[in-house]
Amino acid sequence: MSDITDAPATADATEVRAWLRECVATYVRLPAEDIDENLPLSEYGLDSVYVLSLCADIEDRYGIEVEPTLLWDHPAIGPISEALAPLLAAR
Amino acid sequence: MSADVPEWPTGLAAALADAMAAGAAAGGAFSTARSAALDAAEAFPGEECDLLDASGLARAYVPERLGGVAGGLPELLSALREVARRDVTVAVAHGKTFLGSVSTWVAGTEDQQRALARLVTDENAVVAWGLTERGMGSDLLAGNLTATPEPDGTWRITGEKWPINNATRGRLICVLARTDPAGGPRGFSLFLIDKSALPEGAWEPLPKEPTHGIRGADISGLRLRDAPVPADALVGGVGDGLGIVLRALQLTRTLCAALSLGAGEHALRLVADFAVERALHGTRLALLPLARRVLGRAAASLALADAAALLGGRSAHGLPGEMSAVSATVKAGVPWIVQQAIDDLAELLGARGFLTEQHADGMFQKLERDHRIVAVFDGSTAVNRSLLISQFPLLARLIRKGSYDATGLAAVTGGAPLPELDPAALRLVSRTGCSIVQAVPDTAERITALAAAGELPPRAAELAALLAERTGALADAMAELPPTGRNAPAAAFAVARQFEACFAGAAALHLLAVPCAADRAVVLTAALERCLELLVPGHQAPSDAFEPLVTPLVQPVEEPVR
């Protein structure tokens, strides 16, 4: 995905949201500013199986364990970021 | 020493082999004449399945703690492969019960698991797995078969599943049903339906579909009409269907390797026997260098596929969290490697490879047709390669880091008893990548040291170094691909094939690094040589690279009497 492999020292929902936007933009080859945070990722062609690889990216970047179904229960960037916030805070 | 070597369990497979040989010798079940006649008539191999029932194969479909056999997934792989060596159609027809049951082992309650285990082990109940529907392709979320809750907690199910192996013969069928009209990843649930408990008119079978291979198998369908289903038929929670199916597929996809390996070994045996019999140019085919090269290369391909399947099966126990990567790799890679061996062997057999009544009752052309279906089952090769490609970004990063789960890998590649399979530890996506591939550079160093100490042939060290180099190049190729959400480019599929070959070679490499008998080291070295042929265009294997594998295949062979 990106060459950044070290988790940022602090991360909140805002940071995660911006990073996820870039991730999704890379996946779907659109400018980050064109990614709508409230549009389901499936609308961008990230289907229910492909979205799981995003989970692996999140775990790798932030060093947290994320239940992959979180991305099914929260299908857009905004809700995903909110759901990740407590996991990040508990690091 | 041999206690340290991971081996295939052989207990159940040996019992099956004896029972099948006895049936064949008597001209009954598993005789080639009968296999050919059933295939020609598109008739179900009922006596063969009865014989397997009597030999206890069903116990391999059930976890040990519920009364199943002890060896877990490797034991099942070994047993089903033994059946596939005789007849892939029978292995497909019988093995389906594992596929129908596995969702219950992954997500069922204790009561559900006990009840199903009893039906499978005590009554040899046939269990089908209904995922696909007409017109939905491989998209698990396109199904329209719908389950609607009743006020009393029971369900009503309406719709069709097709084409489904054993849909008609099966007493039970585990179906993926839409439980949210809007669908989506949380819109489907699994139900284990007992057809024998449904009222008249609630279900009907859809006709058997004629098929190119596995012609005798019950490939049919099921239509449910407002079928009343009890509350405890629901496996897992409402909306959990997709997650359970994806984890269950991690086990069944790995198991598909058994069908490929059995078919490949059957092909090799048939062609080796032919080469020994066949007199030409005043000698025997088996004595001609070209024929020996083909036989040896096919044997090396099978040894390579065997290593991938062995460590793949063991990974379900020792590296369960990585099965999303391992199972897709094994499911795409093993049939691909074996199909090449079968194609090469077919050339050696010439016209006899196509004749349905010559040379062993036309068994070659049958297994050749039967094997093609393995690449389609449980997600086609393209589906599995897509799954693998979706994991490339993390896999590439972890190969480059050289990090892996050393404890898990030691459980998979060591000789200590495997931990029992824990379905709860299967993850939808691997967090630690694919340790078997990521550990290649470290294991290659161990091989170099072993070769320097005279414990392995020098060629093993050369091949290990080459594989380590190719693994690094593979990570680069994976990282250079643009990430894709779906519809991966053709170039990505070529890289996926390389990953599969690399995984198989890595498996052979890890097996070489544990102390093993000299003849095993020779076979594994030949497997590595074959892996490098697949990975590196123009790789020149030494002219005698596969010869050690030929001699045991074609003994004894004498020049014909003139």
Side-chain angles (χ1 to χ4, degrees), chain B residues 295-367:
Chain B
L295 288 168
R297 177 179 277 119
S301 292
L302 294 179
L304 180 64
D306 176 87
L310 177 59
L311 293 203
R314 293 175 65 90
S315 290
H317 295 249
L319 287 165
E322 298 188 1
M323 287 304 285
S324 64
V326 170
S327 63
T329 304
V330 169
K331 174 62 179 60
V334 168
W336 168 60
I337 294 168
V338 172
Q339 186 65 52
Q340 291 180 75
I342 293 176
D343 291 347
D344 290 347
L345 290 166
E347 281 194 36
L348 207 55
L349 205 51
R352 282 168 190 76
F354 299 96
L355 299 174
T356 55
E357 292 175 5
Q358 297 291 314
H359 190 58
D361 294 300
M363 281 298 103
F364 190 90
Q365 57 81 31
K366 177 180 179 302
L367 78 83

Side-chain angles (χ1 to χ4, degrees), chain B residues 32 47 94 101 146 156 196 331 385 420 442 472 516 525 536:
Chain B
T32 55
E47 277 179 41
H94 203 280
S101 306
T146 299
R156 293 270 173 179
S196 70
K331 174 62 179 60
R385 287 195 173 135
E420 192 165 351
D442 282 2
C516 64
T525 304
V536 185

Side-chain angles (χ1 to χ4, degrees), chain B residues 266-276 285 294-295 344-346 348-349 359 364 554:
Chain B
H266 192 182
L268 183 61
R269 194 180 67 236
L270 287 170
V271 176
D273 289 352
F274 171 71
V276 170
L285 182 59
V294 171
L295 288 168
D344 290 347
L345 290 166
L348 207 55
L349 205 51
H359 190 58
F364 190 90
V554 297

Side-chain angles (χ1 to χ4, degrees), chain B residues 62-248:
Chain B
V62 175
E64 182 186 2
R65 61 173 196 86
L66 297 168
V69 296
L73 194 61
E75 180 92 55
L76 174 54
L77 264 154
S78 179
L80 205 60
R81 166 195 197 159
E82 193 65 47
V83 179
R85 276 177 185 153
R86 290 259 180 196
D87 192 331
V88 173
T89 304
V90 181
V92 167
H94 203 280
K96 185 68 185 197
T97 291
F98 177 71
L99 277 67
S101 306
V102 70
S103 301
T104 302
W105 312 146
V106 167
T109 63
E110 186 66 18
D111 284 351
Q112 286 174 323
Q113 294 192 6
R114 292 203 174 279
L116 181 60
R118 196 190 58 73
L119 283 172
V120 172
T121 54
D122 295 357
E123 299 184 27
N124 286 304
V126 174
V127 191
W129 201 16
L131 300 180
T132 52
E133 297 179 21
R134 225 177 276 273
M136 71 182 257
S138 296
D139 185 354
L140 291 168
L141 302 185
N144 287 313
L145 178 132
T146 299
T148 314
E150 297 282 293
D152 64 354
T154 66
W155 298 81
R156 293 270 173 179
I157 304 187
T158 295
E160 285 181 19
K161 286 292 173 184
W162 176 96
I164 305 298
N165 183 8
N166 283 340
T168 301
R169 287 181 61 251
R171 168 175 163 186
L172 297 128
I173 180 167
C174 180
V175 298
L176 183 66
R178 188 177 283 257
T179 41
D180 178 346
R186 288 303 208 178
F188 291 80
S189 310
L190 279 168
F191 295 86
L192 182 63
I193 300 173
D194 187 345
K195 283 156 60 185
S196 70
L198 292 179
E200 188 94 3
W203 69 277
E204 63 177 311
L206 300 174
K208 169 177 160 59
E209 292 292 336
T211 48
H212 176 63
I214 59 163
R215 296 177 58 169
D218 167 24
I219 306 297
S220 56
L222 176 71
R223 178 180 294 136
L224 296 171
R225 259 195 224 98
D226 218 16
V229 168
D232 67 359
L234 177 70
V235 179
V238 174
D240 287 348
L242 180 65
I244 298 167
V245 167
L246 290 176
R247 286 185 289 145

Side-chain angles (χ1 to χ4, degrees), chain A residues 1-2 5 26-27 29 42 45-50 52-53 55-57 59-60 65-69 72-73, chain B residues 141 185-186 242-243 246 386-387 389-391 393-394 397-398 401 427-431 482-486 488:
Chain A
M1 172 92 298
S2 72
T5 50
T26 316
Y27 272 111
R29 281 172 253 178
S42 57
L46 279 171
D47 70 20
S48 49
V49 172
Y50 266 85
L52 298 174
S53 56
C55 174
D57 291 335
E59 292 186 319
D60 191 46
E65 292 199 5
V66 180
E67 188 50 46
T69 48
W72 292 348
D73 295 326
Chain B
L141 302 185
R186 288 303 208 178
L242 180 65
L246 290 176
S386 296
L387 278 171
I389 292 163
S390 76
Q391 301 175 69
L394 180 72
R397 272 200 300 272
L398 293 178
K401 265 194 212 168
R427 278 197 104 232
L428 288 172
V429 63
S430 175
R431 177 181 290 135
T484 48
R486 81 165 64 129

